[in-house]
Amino acid sequence: MRIDIMTLFPDTVNAVLHESILGRAAKKGLIEINCVQIRDFTDNRQKQVDDYPYGGGWGCVMMAQPLKACLESILPDGKGPRTRVIYMSPQGRTFDQETARRLKNDYDRLILVCGHYEGIDERFIEECVDEEISIGDYVLTGGEIAAMAVTDAVCRLVPGVLSDEQCYTGESHWEGLLEYPQYTRPEVWENREVPEVLLQGDHEKIRKWRRKKQLERTMAKRPDLFSRFDPVSEEDLSLLREIEKDSRRMKLTLPLSYRPADAEDIPDILEIAEYARKDLKNHRVDQWQGPYPGRDIFEKDIERGECFIVKHGDETAGFFTLSVKEEEDYSGITDGKWSSDEPCCVLHRSAVAEKYRGTGISAFLMKCIEQQCALFGRRNIRTDTHRKNKAMQNLLRESGFSFRGNLTVSSEEGHDPSRQAFDKLLKQQEEKR
Ligand code: ADE
Protein backbone atom coordinates (compact mmCIF):
# COMPACT_ATOMS: atom_id res chain seq x y z
CA MET A 1 0.00 0.00 0.00
CA ARG A 2 1.33 3.42 -0.94
CA ILE A 3 -0.20 6.55 0.51
CA ASP A 4 0.66 10.05 -0.73
CA ILE A 5 -0.47 12.91 1.45
CA MET A 6 -0.82 16.33 -0.21
CA THR A 7 -0.35 18.90 2.54
CA LEU A 8 1.02 22.30 3.50
CA PHE A 9 2.68 20.65 6.54
CA PRO A 10 4.63 17.62 5.25
CA ASP A 11 7.18 17.67 8.10
CA THR A 12 4.51 17.43 10.79
CA VAL A 13 2.71 14.59 9.05
CA ASN A 14 5.93 12.74 8.22
CA ALA A 15 7.13 12.97 11.80
CA VAL A 16 3.99 11.27 13.09
CA LEU A 17 3.58 8.62 10.41
CA HIS A 18 7.20 7.49 10.38
CA GLU A 19 7.25 6.63 14.09
CA SER A 20 6.59 3.32 15.79
CA ILE A 21 4.63 0.56 14.02
CA LEU A 22 4.09 2.40 10.73
CA GLY A 23 7.71 3.58 10.69
CA ARG A 24 8.93 -0.01 11.06
CA ALA A 25 6.46 -1.26 8.43
CA ALA A 26 7.74 1.40 6.00
CA LYS A 27 11.34 0.33 6.66
CA LYS A 28 10.36 -3.26 5.88
CA GLY A 29 8.79 -2.08 2.62
CA LEU A 30 5.28 -3.20 3.56
CA ILE A 31 3.88 0.31 3.16
CA GLU A 32 5.08 3.56 1.67
CA ILE A 33 4.00 6.91 3.03
CA ASN A 34 4.98 9.99 1.12
CA CYS A 35 4.11 13.59 2.04
CA VAL A 36 4.13 16.20 -0.70
CA GLN A 37 4.27 19.98 -0.15
CA ILE A 38 1.43 21.58 -2.13
CA ARG A 39 3.17 24.96 -1.98
CA ASP A 40 5.97 23.63 -4.21
CA PHE A 41 3.49 23.55 -7.11
CA THR A 42 2.22 27.13 -7.20
CA ASP A 43 2.68 29.02 -10.47
CA ASN A 44 3.16 32.39 -8.76
CA ARG A 45 6.35 33.85 -7.39
CA GLN A 46 4.93 34.46 -3.89
CA LYS A 47 4.18 30.74 -3.58
CA GLN A 48 0.66 31.68 -2.67
CA VAL A 49 -1.70 28.70 -2.36
CA ASP A 50 -4.92 30.44 -1.33
CA ASP A 51 -7.02 33.46 -2.20
CA TYR A 52 -10.20 35.29 -1.22
CA PRO A 53 -13.50 33.55 -1.93
CA TYR A 54 -15.59 34.82 -4.85
CA GLY A 55 -18.84 36.28 -3.53
CA GLY A 56 -17.14 37.42 -0.35
CA GLY A 57 -17.07 35.80 3.01
CA TRP A 58 -14.60 35.00 5.74
CA GLY A 59 -11.15 33.46 5.22
CA CYS A 60 -9.34 32.13 2.18
CA VAL A 61 -9.83 29.22 -0.21
CA MET A 62 -7.06 26.96 -1.54
CA MET A 63 -6.58 27.42 -5.27
CA ALA A 64 -7.22 24.56 -7.70
CA GLN A 65 -4.01 25.11 -9.71
CA PRO A 66 -1.34 24.10 -7.14
CA LEU A 67 -3.53 21.22 -6.02
CA LYS A 68 -3.86 19.87 -9.55
CA ALA A 69 -0.14 20.36 -10.28
CA CYS A 70 0.77 18.61 -7.05
CA LEU A 71 -1.51 15.68 -7.91
CA GLU A 72 -0.06 15.42 -11.41
CA SER A 73 3.46 15.26 -9.98
CA ILE A 74 2.36 12.32 -7.83
CA LEU A 75 0.57 10.60 -10.73
CA PRO A 76 2.57 11.59 -13.84
CA ASP A 77 1.04 8.73 -15.84
CA GLY A 78 -2.51 9.35 -14.70
CA LYS A 79 -4.63 7.39 -12.29
CA GLY A 80 -4.97 3.59 -12.53
CA PRO A 81 -8.06 1.68 -11.36
CA ARG A 82 -6.46 0.77 -8.02
CA THR A 83 -5.64 4.37 -7.15
CA ARG A 84 -8.05 6.58 -5.20
CA VAL A 85 -7.90 10.35 -4.68
CA ILE A 86 -9.53 11.27 -1.40
CA TYR A 87 -10.23 14.75 -0.09
CA MET A 88 -10.25 14.99 3.71
CA SER A 89 -13.33 17.06 4.45
CA PRO A 90 -15.99 17.43 7.14
CA GLN A 91 -18.49 17.05 4.27
CA GLY A 92 -17.33 13.52 3.46
CA ARG A 93 -18.77 10.22 4.61
CA THR A 94 -17.74 9.44 8.15
CA PHE A 95 -14.71 7.19 8.25
CA ASP A 96 -15.14 3.81 9.95
CA GLN A 97 -13.49 0.39 10.10
CA GLU A 98 -15.52 -0.79 7.13
CA THR A 99 -14.13 2.08 5.01
CA ALA A 100 -10.60 1.33 6.22
CA ARG A 101 -11.06 -2.28 5.09
CA ARG A 102 -12.52 -1.24 1.74
CA LEU A 103 -9.65 1.18 1.02
CA LYS A 104 -7.07 -1.44 1.95
CA ASN A 105 -8.74 -4.17 -0.16
CA ASP A 106 -9.76 -2.19 -3.24
CA TYR A 107 -6.72 0.06 -3.76
CA ASP A 108 -2.92 -0.13 -3.84
CA ARG A 109 -2.49 3.59 -3.77
CA LEU A 110 -4.31 6.38 -1.94
CA ILE A 111 -3.76 10.09 -2.41
CA LEU A 112 -5.07 12.02 0.57
CA VAL A 113 -5.63 15.73 -0.05
CA CYS A 114 -5.48 17.97 3.02
CA GLY A 115 -7.29 21.27 2.76
CA HIS A 116 -6.66 24.32 4.92
CA TYR A 117 -8.22 27.72 5.50
CA GLU A 118 -11.88 27.79 4.42
CA GLY A 119 -11.59 24.76 2.14
CA ILE A 120 -10.52 24.21 -1.44
CA ASP A 121 -11.82 25.38 -4.80
CA GLU A 122 -14.86 23.24 -5.64
CA ARG A 123 -13.65 22.74 -9.23
CA PHE A 124 -10.61 20.73 -8.02
CA ILE A 125 -12.99 18.43 -6.14
CA GLU A 126 -15.19 17.99 -9.23
CA GLU A 127 -12.23 17.46 -11.53
CA CYS A 128 -9.88 15.28 -9.48
CA VAL A 129 -11.42 13.86 -6.32
CA ASP A 130 -12.96 10.36 -6.21
CA GLU A 131 -14.26 10.46 -2.69
CA GLU A 132 -14.49 12.73 0.36
CA ILE A 133 -13.88 11.38 3.84
CA SER A 134 -14.60 13.00 7.20
CA ILE A 135 -13.31 11.67 10.49
CA GLY A 136 -16.28 12.98 12.42
CA ASP A 137 -18.89 15.67 12.65
CA TYR A 138 -16.63 18.49 13.75
CA VAL A 139 -14.40 20.89 11.87
CA LEU A 140 -10.61 20.75 12.14
CA THR A 141 -8.30 23.53 11.02
CA GLY A 142 -6.97 21.30 8.27
CA GLY A 143 -7.15 17.79 6.85
CA GLU A 144 -3.79 16.59 8.23
CA ILE A 145 -5.08 15.00 11.42
CA ALA A 146 -7.81 13.28 9.42
CA ALA A 147 -5.29 12.05 6.82
CA MET A 148 -3.08 10.67 9.59
CA ALA A 149 -6.03 8.84 11.13
CA VAL A 150 -7.02 7.29 7.80
CA THR A 151 -3.41 6.36 6.98
CA ASP A 152 -2.94 4.69 10.34
CA ALA A 153 -6.22 2.75 10.24
CA VAL A 154 -5.63 1.52 6.65
CA CYS A 155 -1.93 0.68 7.01
CA ARG A 156 -2.35 -1.41 10.12
CA LEU A 157 -4.62 -3.71 8.09
CA VAL A 158 -1.84 -4.43 5.60
CA PRO A 159 -0.58 -7.98 6.28
CA GLY A 160 2.67 -7.98 8.20
CA VAL A 161 2.28 -4.48 9.64
CA LEU A 162 0.90 -5.91 12.90
CA SER A 163 2.66 -8.99 14.19
CA ASP A 164 -0.34 -11.31 14.07
CA GLU A 165 -3.60 -11.25 12.14
CA GLN A 166 -5.41 -11.74 15.45
CA CYS A 167 -4.22 -8.30 16.45
CA TYR A 168 -7.00 -6.89 14.35
CA THR A 169 -9.54 -9.70 14.15
CA GLY A 170 -11.50 -9.59 17.41
CA GLU A 171 -10.63 -5.99 18.12
CA SER A 172 -13.12 -3.12 18.25
CA HIS A 173 -15.20 -2.72 15.10
CA TRP A 174 -13.86 -5.87 13.48
CA GLU A 175 -17.25 -7.53 13.11
CA GLY A 176 -19.31 -4.51 14.03
CA LEU A 177 -18.65 -5.16 17.72
CA LEU A 178 -16.40 -3.45 20.24
CA GLU A 179 -13.42 -5.24 21.67
CA TYR A 180 -13.60 -7.23 24.92
CA PRO A 181 -11.86 -5.73 27.99
CA GLN A 182 -8.12 -6.37 28.30
CA TYR A 183 -6.02 -6.74 31.45
CA THR A 184 -2.32 -7.06 32.18
CA ARG A 185 -0.16 -7.41 35.29
CA PRO A 186 -0.59 -7.07 38.21
CA GLU A 187 -3.51 -9.36 39.05
CA VAL A 188 -4.80 -6.89 41.63
CA TRP A 189 -4.53 -3.14 41.11
CA GLU A 190 -6.16 -0.58 43.44
CA ASN A 191 -8.25 -3.44 44.86
CA ARG A 192 -9.55 -4.28 41.39
CA GLU A 193 -8.99 -7.83 40.28
CA VAL A 194 -8.48 -9.35 36.88
CA PRO A 195 -11.55 -11.54 36.13
CA GLU A 196 -10.85 -15.05 37.43
CA VAL A 197 -11.70 -16.72 34.10
CA LEU A 198 -8.68 -15.06 32.47
CA LEU A 199 -6.31 -16.57 35.02
CA GLN A 200 -7.37 -20.17 34.66
CA GLY A 201 -5.99 -20.96 31.22
CA ASP A 202 -9.17 -22.56 29.86
CA HIS A 203 -9.01 -21.14 26.34
CA GLU A 204 -12.51 -22.11 25.30
CA LYS A 205 -13.99 -20.51 28.42
CA ILE A 206 -11.92 -17.38 27.85
CA ARG A 207 -13.06 -17.17 24.21
CA LYS A 208 -16.72 -17.43 25.25
CA TRP A 209 -16.31 -14.91 28.07
CA ARG A 210 -14.69 -12.46 25.69
CA ARG A 211 -17.42 -12.88 23.10
CA LYS A 212 -20.05 -12.21 25.76
CA LYS A 213 -18.21 -9.08 26.87
CA GLN A 214 -18.02 -7.87 23.25
CA LEU A 215 -21.77 -8.22 22.88
CA GLU A 216 -22.46 -6.75 26.32
CA ARG A 217 -20.30 -3.66 25.94
CA THR A 218 -21.34 -2.91 22.36
CA MET A 219 -24.94 -3.00 23.57
CA ALA A 220 -24.14 -0.70 26.49
CA LYS A 221 -21.59 1.69 24.96
CA ARG A 222 -22.61 1.82 21.30
CA PRO A 223 -26.30 1.00 20.85
CA ASP A 224 -26.02 2.53 17.34
CA LEU A 225 -23.45 -0.09 16.33
CA PHE A 226 -25.33 -2.86 18.08
CA SER A 227 -28.55 -2.09 16.23
CA ARG A 228 -26.69 -2.85 12.98
CA PHE A 229 -25.20 -6.10 14.31
CA ASP A 230 -27.00 -9.19 13.12
CA PRO A 231 -26.29 -12.16 15.40
CA VAL A 232 -26.55 -15.41 13.47
CA SER A 233 -24.43 -17.96 15.29
CA GLU A 234 -26.11 -20.17 17.86
CA GLU A 235 -23.41 -19.09 20.31
CA ASP A 236 -24.15 -15.36 19.94
CA LEU A 237 -27.87 -15.96 20.27
CA SER A 238 -27.36 -17.97 23.43
CA LEU A 239 -24.95 -15.37 24.87
CA LEU A 240 -27.50 -12.65 24.13
CA ARG A 241 -30.15 -14.65 26.02
CA GLU A 242 -27.69 -14.92 28.93
CA ILE A 243 -27.06 -11.16 28.84
CA GLU A 244 -30.79 -10.50 28.81
CA LYS A 245 -31.22 -12.80 31.83
CA ASP A 246 -28.32 -11.10 33.62
CA SER A 247 -29.90 -7.69 33.04
CA ARG A 248 -33.07 -8.75 34.84
CA ARG A 249 -31.10 -9.77 37.92
CA MET A 250 -30.76 -7.55 40.93
CA LYS A 251 -27.77 -5.26 40.59
CA LEU A 252 -25.13 -4.96 43.26
CA THR A 253 -25.09 -1.19 43.49
CA LEU A 254 -24.25 -0.75 47.18
CA PRO A 255 -20.89 -1.29 48.88
CA LEU A 256 -20.00 -4.94 49.49
CA SER A 257 -18.29 -5.99 52.69
CA TYR A 258 -18.00 -8.84 55.15
CA ARG A 259 -17.55 -9.09 58.89
CA PRO A 260 -17.64 -11.68 61.69
CA ALA A 261 -21.24 -12.61 62.47
CA ASP A 262 -22.73 -12.01 65.92
CA ALA A 263 -25.76 -13.43 67.74
CA GLU A 264 -28.03 -10.82 66.17
CA ASP A 265 -27.23 -12.14 62.73
CA ILE A 266 -28.59 -15.60 63.50
CA PRO A 267 -32.16 -14.99 62.15
CA ASP A 268 -30.70 -13.81 58.80
CA ILE A 269 -28.31 -16.76 58.68
CA LEU A 270 -31.09 -19.27 59.44
CA GLU A 271 -33.32 -17.76 56.76
CA ILE A 272 -30.53 -18.01 54.18
CA ALA A 273 -29.71 -21.58 55.25
CA GLU A 274 -33.39 -22.50 54.97
CA TYR A 275 -33.53 -21.23 51.40
CA ALA A 276 -30.31 -23.11 50.57
CA ARG A 277 -31.86 -26.29 52.05
CA LYS A 278 -34.89 -25.99 49.75
CA ASP A 279 -32.74 -25.16 46.76
CA LEU A 280 -30.54 -28.21 47.33
CA LYS A 281 -33.68 -30.33 47.60
CA ASN A 282 -35.01 -28.94 44.30
CA HIS A 283 -31.72 -29.93 42.70
CA ARG A 284 -31.94 -33.40 44.30
CA VAL A 285 -28.80 -32.83 46.32
CA ASP A 286 -28.84 -34.89 49.50
CA GLN A 287 -27.04 -32.23 51.52
CA TRP A 288 -28.48 -30.14 54.40
CA GLN A 289 -31.66 -32.24 54.18
CA GLY A 290 -31.89 -32.99 57.92
CA PRO A 291 -31.76 -30.55 60.83
CA TYR A 292 -28.09 -29.78 60.02
CA PRO A 293 -26.99 -26.99 59.95
CA GLY A 294 -29.24 -25.61 62.69
CA ARG A 295 -29.14 -22.77 65.19
CA ASP A 296 -26.79 -24.66 67.57
CA ILE A 297 -24.16 -25.08 64.83
CA PHE A 298 -24.22 -21.41 63.87
CA GLU A 299 -24.11 -20.32 67.51
CA LYS A 300 -20.94 -22.37 67.97
CA ASP A 301 -19.46 -21.04 64.71
CA ILE A 302 -20.10 -17.50 65.95
CA GLU A 303 -18.65 -18.22 69.39
CA ARG A 304 -15.45 -19.51 67.80
CA GLY A 305 -15.28 -16.40 65.55
CA GLU A 306 -15.52 -18.59 62.45
CA CYS A 307 -18.84 -17.44 61.02
CA PHE A 308 -18.89 -14.40 58.71
CA ILE A 309 -21.63 -12.54 56.96
CA VAL A 310 -21.43 -10.81 53.61
CA LYS A 311 -23.23 -7.48 53.36
CA HIS A 312 -24.63 -5.57 50.40
CA GLY A 313 -25.11 -2.15 51.94
CA ASP A 314 -26.94 -2.93 55.20
CA GLU A 315 -28.45 -6.15 53.93
CA THR A 316 -27.13 -9.64 54.69
CA ALA A 317 -26.51 -11.28 51.34
CA GLY A 318 -24.75 -14.47 52.45
CA PHE A 319 -22.65 -16.17 55.08
CA PHE A 320 -19.73 -18.55 55.38
CA THR A 321 -18.00 -20.50 58.09
CA LEU A 322 -14.25 -20.74 57.78
CA SER A 323 -12.39 -22.73 60.39
CA VAL A 324 -8.73 -23.11 61.24
CA LYS A 325 -9.45 -26.41 62.97
CA GLU A 326 -8.42 -29.52 61.09
CA GLU A 327 -11.20 -31.61 59.63
CA GLU A 328 -10.63 -35.24 60.60
CA ASP A 329 -12.59 -36.64 57.64
CA TYR A 330 -10.18 -34.87 55.27
CA SER A 331 -7.29 -37.24 56.02
CA GLY A 332 -9.25 -40.02 54.33
CA ILE A 333 -9.10 -38.50 50.82
CA THR A 334 -9.16 -41.14 48.06
CA ASP A 335 -8.55 -41.07 44.28
CA GLY A 336 -6.21 -38.11 44.69
CA LYS A 337 -4.49 -35.98 47.29
CA TRP A 338 -4.57 -32.46 48.69
CA SER A 339 -2.38 -29.90 46.96
CA SER A 340 -0.35 -29.16 50.06
CA ASP A 341 0.19 -30.35 53.61
CA GLU A 342 0.65 -26.87 54.96
CA PRO A 343 -1.85 -25.67 57.60
CA CYS A 344 -5.19 -24.89 56.03
CA CYS A 345 -8.53 -23.20 56.61
CA VAL A 346 -11.61 -25.31 56.04
CA LEU A 347 -14.66 -23.83 54.40
CA HIS A 348 -17.60 -25.58 56.05
CA ARG A 349 -20.83 -23.81 55.34
CA SER A 350 -21.70 -21.09 52.93
CA ALA A 351 -24.86 -19.85 51.26
CA VAL A 352 -26.27 -16.83 49.47
CA ALA A 353 -29.70 -15.25 50.12
CA GLU A 354 -32.44 -16.01 47.58
CA LYS A 355 -32.64 -12.51 46.13
CA TYR A 356 -28.88 -12.41 45.63
CA ARG A 357 -28.67 -15.57 43.52
CA GLY A 358 -27.15 -14.84 40.13
CA THR A 359 -25.97 -11.35 41.09
CA GLY A 360 -22.29 -12.26 41.25
CA ILE A 361 -22.28 -12.09 45.06
CA SER A 362 -21.00 -15.68 45.27
CA ALA A 363 -17.77 -14.66 43.56
CA PHE A 364 -17.45 -11.84 46.12
CA LEU A 365 -18.16 -14.30 48.95
CA MET A 366 -15.37 -16.54 47.67
CA LYS A 367 -13.01 -13.57 47.68
CA CYS A 368 -14.01 -12.80 51.30
CA ILE A 369 -13.16 -16.40 52.17
CA GLU A 370 -9.71 -15.97 50.64
CA GLN A 371 -9.18 -12.70 52.45
CA GLN A 372 -10.23 -14.23 55.76
CA CYS A 373 -7.98 -17.23 55.19
CA ALA A 374 -5.06 -14.83 54.70
CA LEU A 375 -6.09 -12.96 57.87
CA PHE A 376 -6.00 -16.28 59.71
CA GLY A 377 -2.39 -16.46 58.53
CA ARG A 378 -2.92 -19.32 56.07
CA ARG A 379 -2.90 -19.68 52.33
CA ASN A 380 -4.40 -23.13 51.89
CA ILE A 381 -8.19 -23.50 51.72
CA ARG A 382 -9.89 -26.89 51.71
CA THR A 383 -13.54 -27.71 51.33
CA ASP A 384 -15.88 -30.45 50.23
CA THR A 385 -19.18 -30.62 48.46
CA HIS A 386 -21.75 -33.17 47.43
CA ARG A 387 -21.08 -34.85 44.09
CA LYS A 388 -24.48 -33.64 42.82
CA ASN A 389 -23.95 -30.07 43.99
CA LYS A 390 -22.92 -28.84 40.53
CA ALA A 391 -23.55 -25.17 41.39
CA MET A 392 -21.00 -25.30 44.23
CA GLN A 393 -18.54 -27.30 42.15
CA ASN A 394 -18.76 -24.71 39.35
CA LEU A 395 -18.37 -21.83 41.78
CA LEU A 396 -15.32 -23.48 43.32
CA ARG A 397 -13.75 -24.09 39.92
CA GLU A 398 -14.53 -20.57 38.75
CA SER A 399 -12.93 -19.26 41.93
CA GLY A 400 -9.70 -21.10 41.24
CA PHE A 401 -10.26 -24.20 43.38
CA SER A 402 -9.36 -27.59 41.95
CA PHE A 403 -10.86 -31.01 42.45
CA ARG A 404 -8.51 -33.11 44.56
CA GLY A 405 -10.31 -36.45 45.17
CA ASN A 406 -13.19 -38.07 47.05
CA LEU A 407 -14.12 -38.08 50.71
CA THR A 408 -16.55 -39.78 53.02
CA VAL A 409 -17.85 -37.48 55.73
CA SER A 410 -19.64 -38.32 58.92
CA SER A 411 -23.07 -37.19 57.77
CA GLU A 412 -26.42 -37.80 59.36
CA GLU A 413 -27.89 -41.27 59.22
CA GLY A 414 -29.65 -42.08 56.00
CA HIS A 415 -27.90 -39.34 54.03
CA ASP A 416 -25.28 -39.75 51.33
CA PRO A 417 -21.84 -39.27 52.99
CA SER A 418 -19.75 -39.14 49.81
CA ARG A 419 -18.21 -35.77 48.98
CA GLN A 420 -15.84 -34.25 46.46
CA ALA A 421 -12.73 -32.56 47.84
CA PHE A 422 -11.52 -29.20 46.52
CA ASP A 423 -8.68 -26.94 47.55
CA LYS A 424 -6.96 -23.73 46.58
CA LEU A 425 -3.51 -22.45 47.43
CA LEU A 426 -3.57 -18.68 47.58
CA LYS A 427 -0.83 -16.92 45.67
CA GLN A 428 1.73 -14.87 47.52
CA GLN A 429 1.14 -11.17 46.95
CA GLU A 430 2.43 -10.36 43.47
CA GLU A 431 5.93 -8.96 43.69
CA LYS A 432 6.29 -5.45 42.37
CA ARG A 433 8.06 -5.48 39.01
N1 ADE B 1 -10.93 18.77 7.66
C1 ADE B 1 -11.50 19.59 8.56
N2 ADE B 1 -12.34 18.94 9.36
C2 ADE B 1 -12.30 17.62 8.96
C3 ADE B 1 -12.95 16.46 9.39
N3 ADE B 1 -13.84 16.47 10.38
N4 ADE B 1 -12.69 15.31 8.76
C4 ADE B 1 -11.83 15.30 7.71
N5 ADE B 1 -11.16 16.37 7.27
C5 ADE B 1 -11.41 17.53 7.88
Side-chain angles (χ1 to χ4, degrees):
M1 170 64 68
R2 172 170 173 169
I3 300 184
D4 298 273
I5 300 170
M6 291 172 41
T7 168
L8 293 172
F9 303 96
D11 294 344
T12 314
V13 178
N14 260 327
V16 174
L17 292 178
H18 286 89
E19 279 287 329
S20 182
I21 295 177
L22 297 192
R24 283 196 293 276
K27 277 202 187 105
K28 281 195 225 157
L30 297 167
I31 55 173
E32 195 178 334
I33 299 167
N34 174 41
C35 292
V36 189
Q37 170 60 274
I38 301 167
R39 202 178 291 280
D40 291 345
F41 298 89
T42 52
D43 59 4
N44 58 73
R45 266 194 294 124
Q46 304 81 359
K47 292 204 169 289
Q48 187 184 339
V49 287
D50 59 319
D51 213 330
Y52 295 109
Y54 280 116
W58 189 83
C60 284
V61 176
M62 280 173 77
M63 295 186 286
Q65 176 277 318
L67 289 166
K68 174 96 189 280
C70 181
L71 182 62
E72 280 172 351
S73 84
I74 294 170
L75 300 173
D77 303 323
K79 186 163 64 83
R82 287 187 60 86
T83 297
R84 193 82 165 160
V85 178
I86 300 167
Y87 172 43
M88 309 314 305
S89 153
Q91 296 190 20
R93 277 196 52 178
T94 310
F95 188 62
D96 58 12
Q97 192 64 21
E98 183 55 42
T99 311
R101 251 191 316 262
R102 172 173 63 79
L103 295 179
K104 180 245 148 200
N105 289 336
D106 294 355
Y107 304 101
D108 303 323
R109 187 144 188 208
L110 304 178
I111 289 112
L112 307 183
V113 182
C114 303
H116 248 271
Y117 315 116
E118 274 311 282
I120 67 180
D121 192 308
E122 190 65 20
R123 292 167 295 183
F124 172 77
I125 300 174
E126 287 165 7
E127 173 86 4
C128 304
V129 168
D130 299 313
E131 169 173 357
E132 293 179 56
I133 288 182
S134 161
I135 58 162
D137 290 340
Y138 43 82
V139 182
L140 302 166
T141 54
E144 282 74 14
I145 289 172
M148 289 193 270
V150 169
T151 303
D152 191 289
V154 171
C155 287
R156 69 193 286 287
L157 297 179
V158 171
V161 171
L162 299 184
S163 52
D164 185 331
E165 197 176 295
Q166 283 192 325
C167 290
Y168 52 85
T169 57
E171 71 184 2
S172 289
H173 302 287
W174 180 252
E175 289 175 311
L177 292 177
L178 300 181
E179 192 181 9
Y180 47 78
Q182 298 272 26
Y183 301 85
T184 185
R185 281 162 40 122
E187 256 177 58
V188 183
W189 178 80
E190 303 273 329
N191 275 333
R192 291 167 189 273
E193 292 171 12
V194 172
E196 190 72 37
V197 61
L198 301 179
L199 307 175
Q200 289 166 357
D202 181 335
H203 297 294
E204 180 52 20
K205 251 192 180 166
I206 293 174
R207 189 194 59 74
K208 235 176 151 170
W209 180 87
R210 287 180 163 165
R211 185 72 186 173
K212 184 172 172 186
K213 288 287 164 200
Q214 280 192 278
L215 294 164
E216 230 169 36
R217 52 173 38 195
T218 309
M219 230 187 246
K221 291 189 183 188
R222 293 290 305 273
D224 57 323
L225 272 188
F226 192 75
S227 66
R228 278 178 266 141
F229 175 73
D230 187 16
V232 281
S233 75
E234 202 30 68
E235 178 172 67
D236 280 354
L237 293 168
S238 139
L239 289 173
L240 287 168
R241 282 193 294 272
E242 245 180 61
I243 292 168
E244 159 71 17
K245 223 164 122 191
D246 293 349
S247 73
R248 277 189 263 118
R249 289 196 179 122
M250 204 191 81
K251 297 275 184 296
L252 299 176
T253 49
L254 300 172
L256 294 171
S257 59
Y258 86 100
R259 62 163 171 77
D262 58 39
E264 284 177 15
D265 296 314
I266 287 186
D268 281 352
I269 294 173
L270 290 176
E271 191 184 321
I272 294 171
E274 192 48 36
Y275 170 69
R277 197 188 307 282
K278 282 191 199 135
D279 192 52
L280 288 166
K281 187 172 180 198
N282 287 341
H283 287 88
R284 300 186 199 296
V285 180
D286 186 19
Q287 218 179 342
W288 292 19
Q289 293 310 303
Y292 171 89
R295 176 183 283 271
D296 53 330
I297 297 268
F298 289 116
E299 278 172 354
K300 283 195 195 115
D301 285 349
I302 290 172
E303 246 169 61
R304 284 195 294 263
E306 294 179 343
C307 183
F308 300 87
I309 54 165
V310 171
K311 307 289 282 185
H312 174 236
D314 290 338
E315 223 169 54
T316 303
F319 70 82
F320 64 90
T321 299
L322 190 71
S323 171
V324 286
K325 193 168 152 280
E326 271 205 24
E327 177 59 56
E328 279 170 27
D329 295 333
Y330 281 5
S331 56
I333 189 166
T334 59
D335 314 312
K337 64 187 185 70
W338 297 107
S339 298
S340 161
D341 289 332
E342 68 181 86
C344 65
C345 285
V346 179
L347 169 64
H348 283 290
R349 294 163 271 288
S350 67
V352 160
E354 180 174 10
K355 75 185 250 201
Y356 284 94
R357 292 283 166 114
T359 57
I361 196 98
S362 310
F364 176 71
L365 183 139
M366 297 307 290
K367 286 291 162 202
C368 299
I369 290 167
E370 288 185 17
Q371 201 171 326
Q372 190 53 43
C373 176
L375 286 173
F376 281 148
R378 304 199 167 173
R379 49 165 224 141
N380 182 12
I381 311 176
R382 292 180 179 176
T383 192
D384 67 84
T385 189
H386 195 276
R387 75 193 151 82
K388 285 194 183 165
N389 194 346
K390 297 288 174 213
M392 189 62 187
Q393 289 162 29
N394 287 341
L395 175 63
L396 288 168
R397 288 202 168 89
E398 277 160 18
S399 308
F401 281 72
S402 54
F403 172 72
R404 305 307 310 171
N406 295 305
L407 293 168
T408 304
V409 295
S410 31
S411 71
E412 294 162 63
E413 278 223 355
H415 293 281
D416 179 4
S418 56
R419 296 283 184 273
Q420 294 192 343
F422 285 81
D423 71 11
K424 178 173 184 177
L425 280 184
L426 304 183
K427 291 193 191 88
Q428 308 280 30
Q429 270 289 327
E430 179 101 357
E431 278 171 41
K432 285 213 168 86
R433 277 200 294 172

